[in-house]
């Protein structure tokens, strides 16, 4: 496998394998523009501690959400207007991937049901999916050991955006999401 994102996946996984990771890779978009598109104003996190970090990466920006709503996953379409965006959602309930170009869904699938993918061109990333060893037909007896890391690598391949551990550990633009649905009360 080319680029590996095991380090990012592990950052959002506890010792009991409970995962809450939302990451979106956006080509050629600055952290400031990405935050503006999702309606987040940079600043300190609110009382809930929920928010988004926009990390400058080679080729664009990677958004990482701290919270349970999946706001940045759901916003992959608007984030892709004029460019492309790939988002990975990994929680204790779902593990999904979506790839959008210019505001339209190209392909969306569960990491465990690639054969049931949807979108305007659902097979566009199939060669990369196969090369990364993801379960293409659902006929593998066992799932790959690290489907989320593989999906993050697919997001990099799809968008051309690379986030290194050093860039992730560096300064990021951060803002609260308390004012956004479904957090808004």
């Amino acid at each position: 496998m080319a680029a590996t994102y095991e380090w990012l996946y592990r950052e959002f996984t506890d010792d009991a394998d409970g995962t809450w990771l939302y990451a979106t890779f956006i080509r050629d978009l600055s952290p400031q523009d990405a935050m503006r598109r999702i309606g987040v104003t940079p600043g300190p996190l609110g009382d809930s501690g929920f928010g988004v970090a926009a990390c400058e990466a080679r080729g664009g920006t990677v958004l990482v959400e701290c919270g349970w709503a999946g706001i940045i996953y759901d916003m992959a379409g608007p984030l892709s207007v004029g460019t492309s965006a790939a988002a990975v959602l990994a929680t204790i309930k779902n593990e999904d991937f979506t790839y959008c170009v210019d505001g339209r869904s190209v392909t969306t699938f569960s990491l465990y049901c690639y054969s049931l993918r949807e979108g305007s061109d659902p097979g566009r990333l199939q060669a990369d999916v196969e090369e990364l060893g993801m379960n293409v037909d659902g006929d593998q007896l066992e799932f790959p050991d690290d489907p989320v890391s593989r999906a993050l690598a697919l997001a990099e391949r799809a968008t051309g955006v690379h986030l290194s551990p050093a860039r992730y550990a560096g300064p990021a633009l951060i803002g609260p999401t308390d004012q956004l649905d479904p957090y808004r009360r």
Side-chain angles (χ1 to χ4, degrees):
M1 182 165 68
T4 178
Y5 283 91
E6 181 72 14
W7 60 270
L8 183 58
Y9 168 64
R10 288 289 162 216
E11 176 84 15
F12 291 88
T13 301
D14 65 19
D15 292 332
D17 289 326
T19 303
W20 289 95
L21 170 64
Y22 301 98
T24 302
F25 294 57
I26 312 109
R27 183 187 335 214
D28 296 332
L29 203 61
S30 72
Q32 295 83 359
D33 287 339
M35 296 286 265
R36 190 172 16 263
R37 285 191 186 188
I38 62 171
V40 173
T41 301
L45 300 182
D47 292 336
S48 72
F50 295 156
V52 173
C55 304
E56 186 175 355
R58 187 180 71 226
T61 294
V62 176
L63 297 176
V64 178
E65 182 175 342
C66 179
W68 51 262
I71 290 167
I72 62 173
Y73 183 85
D74 293 338
M75 295 293 288
L79 283 163
S80 74
V81 172
T83 188
S84 64
V88 177
L89 171 155
T91 69
I92 57 174
K93 293 183 178 184
N94 294 310
E95 293 182 343
D96 298 322
F97 178 91
T98 191
Y99 175 61
C100 300
V101 174
D102 203 19
R104 299 185 63 206
S105 172
V106 174
T107 186
T108 299
F109 57 89
S110 164
L111 300 189
Y112 299 105
C113 296
Y114 179 75
S115 60
L116 300 178
R117 63 199 178 274
E118 298 176 345
S120 63
D121 187 4
R124 183 181 299 186
L125 302 177
Q126 184 152 349
D128 290 316
V129 167
E130 290 174 358
E131 191 173 311
L132 289 167
M134 299 173 84
N135 189 357
V136 176
D137 297 321
D139 61 359
Q140 294 177 3
L141 296 178
E142 295 183 16
F143 292 109
D145 289 337
D146 54 356
V148 176
S149 296
R150 293 169 194 258
L152 292 164
L154 180 61
E156 175 180 313
R157 286 183 180 206
T159 62
V161 176
H162 172 74
L163 180 64
S164 69
R167 286 271 178 113
Y168 178 73
L173 193 60
I174 297 173
T177 54
D178 295 350
Q179 77 284 5
L180 302 175
D181 281 332
Y183 298 123
R184 187 177 20 204
R185 291 172 180 52

